[in-house]
Amino acid sequence: MQKSPTVLVAPKNLPEPSNLMLDHAWFKRPTAVVAADLIGCYLCRRMEDGEIVRAMITETEAYLGIGDAGCHAFEGRHTPRTSVMYKEAGTIYVYLIYGLHYLLNIVTTEIGQPEAVLIRAVHIENEPIRTGAGPAKLTKYLHVDKRLNNHLLGETVGLWVENKVQDSVPVSVAKRVGIDYAGDAAHWLLRFYWTGHGSVSK
DNA sequence: CTGTAGATCTTCT
DNA sequence: GAAGATCTACAGG
């Protein structure tokens, strides 16, 4: 009997953002703390037709800037793609990987400190458990692409995060995925996921 | 069920 | 020219 964790209080699919919306200061904390804290929170997207989709975050990864060989901004690398990582906490960083997949990150910490959290998996109510099980799958479902890059989270751009409604969420830590080239940093425990949840990436 | 090819943009060698 | 913070389809055992 493999039942996925039950949401104690159902997410309100209200037509408007709720007062649980996280402000930018919430993301201006140590990146690993933000990444762990995001598990159980809701990634909210206003779709083209005006409907708001609330997707519960079940997996994240922290990328720790200039000292992290797995981070795009390693050793202060500053390119057209990575410049957004140096901006203010709460800024959306979307980039194209392998020429066809968009991945969603949220910038953290201070301006000038290129750190971010990658959203790796979400669970969308009333959808198959694997619908948002992967960083590229969730962006496809939520229509997240380059248009959002460089904008602050909020109702204006149609993408924001609302706080979790559960009191305690079981969180596990593990090594990050897909950065075997990063040497030592490949072993850092910067991946966070809802323990045993069926929507966590493979 | 495991393995791998292919898609094809951005960055670095 | 090569490889990447990935996913899907399909071949083979």
Side-chain angles (χ1 to χ4, degrees):
Chain A
M1 179 210 77
Q2 291 287 63
K3 197 177 177 206
S4 54
T6 305
V7 177
L8 302 177
V9 180
K12 322 140 297 304
N13 277 326
L14 302 172
E16 296 303 324
S18 84
N19 57 6
L20 293 176
M21 187 189 292
L22 299 173
D23 62 17
H24 301 146
W26 194 91
F27 296 93
K28 199 173 173 178
R29 299 181 293 154
T31 306
V33 172
V34 173
D37 222 358
L38 276 173
I39 306 300
C41 292
Y42 292 90
L43 180 64
C44 306
R45 177 72 167 131
R46 187 187 295 280
M47 308 300 267
E48 285 76 1
D49 64 1
E51 181 196 4
I52 293 178
V53 174
R54 287 182 166 85
M56 193 176 67
I57 299 170
T58 56
E59 184 181 5
T60 62
E61 280 179 359
Y63 285 85
L64 304 187
I66 65 174
D68 179 359
C71 181
H72 290 153
F74 180 49
E75 292 180 325
R77 289 190 45 233
H78 205 292
T79 68
R81 184 182 66 168
T82 63
S83 63
V84 60
M85 295 191 77
Y86 294 79
K87 301 185 87 175
E88 127 181 47
T91 302
I92 299 164
Y93 171 33
V94 175
Y95 74 96
L96 190 61
I97 186 69
Y98 301 119
L100 62 160
H101 299 304
Y102 291 107
L103 300 204
L104 170 64
N105 301 255
I106 301 170
V107 175
T108 55
T109 68
E110 302 293 326
I111 292 174
Q113 217 170 316
E115 306 195 14
V117 173
L118 168 69
I119 310 298
R120 283 195 60 87
V122 299
H123 173 51
I124 302 136
E125 254 208 329
N126 302 321
E127 289 290 345
I129 191 71
R130 305 295 294 170
T131 301
K137 293 175 78 176
L138 70 93
T139 55
K140 184 180 178 196
Y141 182 88
L142 295 173
H143 297 173
V144 168
D145 58 35
K146 280 301 242 189
R147 293 172 300 174
L148 292 168
N149 189 47
N150 236 304
H151 287 90
L152 279 169
L153 287 170
E155 194 185 356
T156 311
V157 281
L159 185 72
W160 65 92
V161 181
E162 293 176 8
N163 211 348
K164 58 190 126 215
V165 292
Q166 282 93 341
D167 285 329
S168 62
V169 172
V171 176
S172 296
V173 287
K175 292 188 285 189
R176 291 174 294 179
V177 174
I179 55 164
D180 294 340
Y181 60 85
D184 215 38
H187 305 298
W188 294 354
L189 300 176
L190 292 176
R191 179 174 159 235
F192 303 89
Y193 60 97
W194 189 313
T195 308
H197 200 289
S199 70
V200 171
S201 69
K202 93 181 157 188

